């Protein structure tokens, strides 16, 4: 028969068993309660962190959107400034080119004025005077030089302003390109989400990069570029107005001076034509006077020659009757008649000589010179019965020869004086014609100032061309007499 074996060890009582069960149950409940608390706190934390993360991401998205709007606004402002600066640069460049064309166009008035002065320096003798035309042309040269200086100054100012505008444009362009790049970056960041494939963890993403600026500095920089561009635009617009005003004023000054010069030329040409016509009239009158004087001299000389025969006859009769002998040497009626005839012929000859001298005096415009008293034949000389025959004949021949030589000398002097004065008139006419031709060439050359380029055709030969000239008969006769 089998026996019951007993295991060794202590045995717990029933209360211990109940206590142990209660303890286990209590601990389980406490652990469960702690776990429940932890779970509730974890849920709360997870909800809070999820909400915080979501709101942080949304806030940053909003900040990025606002920043993009702000940068976009500044970009639009910079784009507007850039377009205005570009338009102003183009406008100022066009105005500068117009000023340069206006400056270049002043070469034609300057060349014309210098050409006029050079042509008028070719005047001769008394016509080479400092007249109002010279004053006006010299004034025109001074006006042109002043206009050139004013335009050159404005061109230099425009060049400097263009440099400033280009510098401002470079700053705006650099700032605008920065804004465009910033917009691209911020828009890329705004488009990213937590599910984007190209996101990753970075090393020290919260670092502050070198060269970072504050929002105030950023805005101040863009505002400075904008304000500077607006200031340069304002200065450029004022400069363009000043250049346009300078061009208009200089054109008005040149036009007014051109009108003054051409009026002076017209007035001077009228004076030359008036003087030339007067000289031509005097030349005609002088030639007529010379012809009339030569004809009168020929007639007077012929009359003097015609009176020589009767005078010689009377002298011979008187001289022959002085040889009557003794008491027959009587002063009878024949003697008185012959004496009266001699006196009458001598008076006629004297009157003819006086008339010839008066004609010569009027032609030569000199004082009348009376013939020497020893050249006239007196009644006492002819009536002296004691004079020998040979002495009387020699004396009469000497008187006749002296009178003839004196008359010829005076006639030659008078004609020479008239011819000299005629030559002076002709020389002065040549001077007037030369001066008139030069001034007409100047007036013709000044047509370049009013005609468009390429349409000017000279109507007056600018060069003096030499031609074979034939002397007039009067000039040839003058040379023969000389």
């Amino acid at each position: 028969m089998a026996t019951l074996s007993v295991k060794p060890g202590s045995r717990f009582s029933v209360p211990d068993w109940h206590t142990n069960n209660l303890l286990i149950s209590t601990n389980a409940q406490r652990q469960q309660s702690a776990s429940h608390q932890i779970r509730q706190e974890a849920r709360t934390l997870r909800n809070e962190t999820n909400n915080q993360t979501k709101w942080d991401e949304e806030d940053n998205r909003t900040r990025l959107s606002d920043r993009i709007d702000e940068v976009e606004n500044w970009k639009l402002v910079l784009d507007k400034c850039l377009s205005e600066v570009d338009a102003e640069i183009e406008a100022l460049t066009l105005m500068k080119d117009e000023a340069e064309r206006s400056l270049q166009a002043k070469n034609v008035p300057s060349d014309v004025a210098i050409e006029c002065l050079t042509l008028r320096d070719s005047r001769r003798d008394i016509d080479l005077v400092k007249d109002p035309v010279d004053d006006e042309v010299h004034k025109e040269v001074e006006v042109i030089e002043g206009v050139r200086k004013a335009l050159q100054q404005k061109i230099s100012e425009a060049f400097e302003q263009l440099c400033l505008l280009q510098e401002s444009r470079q700053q705006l362009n650099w700032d605008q390109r920065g804004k465009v790049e910033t917009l691209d970056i911020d828009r890329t960041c705004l488009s990213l989400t937590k599910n984007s494939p190209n996101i990753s963890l970075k090393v020290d993403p919260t670092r502050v990069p070198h060269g970072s600026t504050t929002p105030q500095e950023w805005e101040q920089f863009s505002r400075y570029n904008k304000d500077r561009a607006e200031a340069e635009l304002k200065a450029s617009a004022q400069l363009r107005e000043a250049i346009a005003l300078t061009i208009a004023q200089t054109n008005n000054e040149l036009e007014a001076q051109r009108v003054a010069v051409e009026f002076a030329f017209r007035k001077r040409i009228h004076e030359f034509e008036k003087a030339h016509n007067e000289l031509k009239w005097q030349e005609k009158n002088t030639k007529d006077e010379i012809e009339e004087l030569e004809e009168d001299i020929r007639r007077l000389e012929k009359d003097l020659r015609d009176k020589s025969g009767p005078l010689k006859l009377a002298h011979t009769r008187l001289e022959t009757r002085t040889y009557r002998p003794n008491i027959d040497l009587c002063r009878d009626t024949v003697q008185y008649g012959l004496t009266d005839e001699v006196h009458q012929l001598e008076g006629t000859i004297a009157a003819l000589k006086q008339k010839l001298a008066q004609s010569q005096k009027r032609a030569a415009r000199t004082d009348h010179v009376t013939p020497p008293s020893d050249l006239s034949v007196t009644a006492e000389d002819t009536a002296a019965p004691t004079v020998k025959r040979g002495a009387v004949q020699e004396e009469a021949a000497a008187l006749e020869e002296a009178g003839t030589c004196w008359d010829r000398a005076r006639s030659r002097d008078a004609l020479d004086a008239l011819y000299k004065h005629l030559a002076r008139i002709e020389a002065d006419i040549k001077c007037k014609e030369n001066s008139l031709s030069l001034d007409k060439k100047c007036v013709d050359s000044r047509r370049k100032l009013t005609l468009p380029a390429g349409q000017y055709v000279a109507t007056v030969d600018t060069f003096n061309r030499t031609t074979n000239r034939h002397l007039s008969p009067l000039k040839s006769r003058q040379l023969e007499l000389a």
Side-chain angles (χ1 to χ4, degrees):
M1 186 172 131
T3 59
L4 181 64
S5 62
V6 178
K7 295 181 178 180
S10 60
R11 299 278 182 160
F12 295 98
S13 61
V14 173
D16 292 334
W17 180 79
H18 286 289
T19 301
N20 182 53
N21 290 335
L22 181 62
L23 179 61
I24 292 172
S25 176
T26 303
N27 288 334
Q29 292 177 356
R30 186 174 62 249
Q31 291 296 329
Q32 292 173 1
S33 175
S35 175
H36 177 75
Q37 182 68 29
I38 292 173
R39 284 191 299 105
Q40 292 299 322
E41 291 177 358
R43 289 178 180 178
T44 302
L45 179 61
R46 185 166 57 85
N47 290 333
E48 290 178 355
T49 55
N50 287 337
N51 291 334
Q52 184 66 37
T53 300
K54 185 180 292 185
W55 280 110
D56 288 343
E57 195 272 336
E58 188 64 28
D59 290 341
N60 286 324
R61 181 179 293 275
T62 303
R63 292 190 184 96
L64 271 175
S65 179
D66 294 340
R67 182 61 177 175
I68 288 172
D69 293 338
E70 186 177 5
V71 174
E72 180 68 23
N73 291 333
W74 272 111
K75 178 183 174 295
L76 294 176
V77 171
L78 294 177
D79 288 340
K80 180 182 177 182
C81 287
L82 269 175
S83 61
E84 292 177 353
V85 169
D86 290 337
E88 186 62 31
I89 288 175
E90 183 178 0
L92 185 57
T93 302
L94 292 176
M95 187 59 67
K96 176 175 170 289
D97 294 340
E98 183 178 355
E100 290 175 348
R101 287 192 298 270
S102 178
L103 178 61
Q104 186 178 3
K106 301 304 179 288
N107 293 332
V108 175
S110 178
D111 294 342
V112 169
I114 294 174
E115 181 182 359
C116 291
L117 291 176
T118 304
L119 286 173
R120 300 195 91 243
D121 285 341
S122 300
R123 294 174 294 171
R124 300 192 297 266
D125 301 336
I126 191 62
D127 286 349
L128 189 59
V129 297
K130 185 174 178 58
D131 51 10
V133 177
D134 276 345
D135 296 336
E136 293 296 337
V137 175
H138 280 95
K139 183 178 178 182
E140 185 178 32
V141 173
E142 294 176 357
V143 170
I144 292 173
E145 291 299 323
V147 166
R148 280 180 167 177
K149 290 181 180 178
L151 290 176
Q152 187 61 52
Q153 181 180 359
K154 293 302 179 183
I155 291 173
S156 300
E157 292 178 1
F159 178 78
E160 294 176 359
Q161 186 62 36
L162 282 173
C163 292
L164 294 176
L165 285 173
Q166 289 289 352
E167 183 179 354
S168 177
R169 184 185 182 283
Q170 290 178 359
Q171 286 294 111
L172 288 173
N173 194 22
W174 183 76
D175 195 5
Q176 189 261 356
R177 287 200 305 268
K179 297 293 187 292
V180 171
E181 189 175 353
T182 300
L183 285 174
D184 291 339
I185 293 174
D186 285 349
R187 284 170 179 168
T188 301
C189 293
L190 184 62
S191 64
L192 293 175
T193 62
K194 62 182 180 179
N195 297 322
S196 297
N198 54 346
I199 60 174
S200 63
L201 296 176
K202 308 297 180 181
V203 178
D204 194 12
T206 59
R207 70 186 183 278
V208 178
H210 179 71
S212 297
T213 58
T214 63
Q216 292 77 15
E217 293 175 346
W218 172 84
E219 183 177 358
Q220 184 179 1
F221 178 77
S222 297
R223 191 175 298 279
Y224 170 78
N225 292 333
K226 170 180 168 295
D227 294 341
R228 181 186 177 186
E230 291 177 349
E232 297 299 340
L233 288 172
K234 183 178 179 181
S236 179
Q238 294 176 352
L239 181 59
R240 283 192 294 109
E241 294 177 358
I243 292 175
L245 180 61
T246 301
I247 292 175
Q249 287 179 346
T250 53
N251 289 338
N252 291 336
E253 291 176 2
L254 281 180
E255 180 64 19
Q257 189 59 34
R258 182 190 68 81
V259 172
V261 171
E262 293 182 357
F263 173 76
F265 265 116
R266 291 194 299 271
K267 184 177 180 181
R268 189 58 175 165
I269 288 174
H270 175 71
E271 293 175 354
F272 273 124
E273 290 176 345
K274 184 178 179 181
H276 180 264
N277 293 334
E278 177 66 23
L279 288 173
K280 296 294 282 187
W281 172 253
Q282 294 298 333
E283 180 188 26
K284 177 182 178 301
N285 292 339
T286 303
K287 289 180 179 179
D288 294 341
E289 184 65 25
I290 288 175
E291 293 177 358
E292 292 179 1
L293 180 59
E294 288 178 343
E295 183 64 26
D296 289 344
I297 289 174
R298 286 192 295 270
R299 291 176 181 176
L300 290 172
E301 288 178 348
K302 181 178 181 300
D303 289 343
L304 286 174
R305 288 192 301 270
D306 292 342
K307 299 300 183 292
S308 176
L311 182 61
K312 289 179 182 180
L313 176 61
H315 279 197
T316 302
R317 287 174 176 176
L318 283 173
E319 182 64 22
T320 303
R321 295 190 86 246
T322 59
Y323 292 98
R324 290 176 294 168
N326 300 326
I327 195 66
D328 289 329
L329 188 61
C330 178
R331 295 182 60 85
D332 51 11
T333 55
V334 177
Q335 183 74 19
Y336 284 112
L338 290 173
T339 302
D340 291 340
E341 183 181 2
V342 169
H343 289 167
Q344 183 65 32
L345 289 171
E346 289 177 349
T348 301
I349 292 173
L352 290 174
K353 289 181 179 180
Q354 183 179 3
K355 191 64 177 177
L356 179 61
Q358 289 178 355
S359 300
Q360 294 165 350
K361 177 182 177 181
R362 182 177 63 252
R365 294 183 180 179
T366 58
D367 295 335
H368 175 69
V369 181
T370 58
S373 59
D374 56 352
L375 296 181
S376 60
V377 181
T378 62
E380 290 75 12
D381 294 335
T382 59
T386 60
V387 179
K388 296 183 179 180
R389 179 177 181 179
V392 173
Q393 291 178 351
E394 292 176 359
E395 183 178 359
L399 288 174
E400 182 179 359
E401 183 68 22
T404 303
C405 293
W406 184 80
D407 291 341
R408 289 177 179 175
R410 290 212 53 191
S411 300
R412 177 62 61 84
D413 292 341
L415 284 175
D416 287 345
L418 278 175
Y419 277 123
K420 288 179 181 179
H421 191 66
L422 179 60
R424 181 179 178 184
I425 291 176
E426 290 177 346
D428 203 10
I429 288 175
K430 295 298 181 183
C431 288
K432 295 296 183 293
E433 291 176 349
N434 177 65
S435 300
L436 190 60
S437 174
L438 292 174
D439 281 354
K440 287 183 177 179
K441 289 177 184 177
C442 292
V443 172
D444 181 71
S445 176
R446 294 186 66 83
R447 292 172 53 239
K448 300 176 185 177
L449 304 179
T450 55
L451 293 178
Q455 295 186 7
Y456 169 75
V457 178
T459 58
V460 180
D461 191 0
T462 308
F463 302 98
N464 294 324
R465 307 186 186 276
T466 303
T467 57
N468 295 326
R469 299 178 181 176
H470 300 282
L471 295 177
S472 63
L474 188 60
K475 189 67 176 177
S476 301
R477 190 186 309 169
Q478 179 183 358
L479 294 177
E480 291 175 0
L481 291 174

